[in-house]
Amino acid sequence: MRYFCPYCSPHYQIHEERSDGVMVCGYCGDPLVKEPTIKLTQIFSFIAAIAFISPLLITAFSFIQDWKRPQPQRSIQVVKALIGTEL
């Protein structure tokens, strides 16, 4: 967990621990606030990214499956019938 002072600039923060174990700001002396590891906005952005990327992944996966599938071999008679002439 990260700690930060909500009142001081994030560039100039000094974290100190009091004798009772509470983290305080070195400039203003106010108690520091715990910053959550994963924020709610990060969760929403992850879901949005998955929503936009999933069609691409599904398309690529289906293309790979079609590519690996063996193609049926056409016989000579079918080719002759399609062309209409003797080979």
Side-chain angles (χ1 to χ4, degrees), residues 1-76:
M1 292 297 256
R2 292 186 51 202
Y3 292 93
F4 71 98
C5 180
Y7 307 109
C8 297
S9 172
H11 299 291
Y12 305 107
Q13 289 194 7
I14 298 174
H15 303 159
E16 295 178 355
E17 187 174 350
R18 292 192 309 208
S19 60
D20 60 352
V22 176
M23 297 289 288
V24 295
C25 179
Y27 287 121
C28 64
D30 285 337
L32 297 176
V33 179
K34 288 183 182 180
E35 183 177 328
T37 306
I38 299 175
K39 298 176 187 172
L40 190 59
T41 55
Q42 290 174 330
I43 293 171
F44 286 135
S45 63
F46 181 72
I47 291 170
I50 295 239
F52 283 109
I53 292 175
S54 62
L56 175 68
L57 295 177
I58 291 170
T59 304
F61 183 70
S62 65
F63 176 74
I64 290 172
Q65 280 186 337
D66 288 342
W67 184 44
K68 287 184 177 180
R69 185 179 304 155
Q71 298 295 326
Q73 297 293 326
R74 293 186 178 186
S75 65
I76 298 290

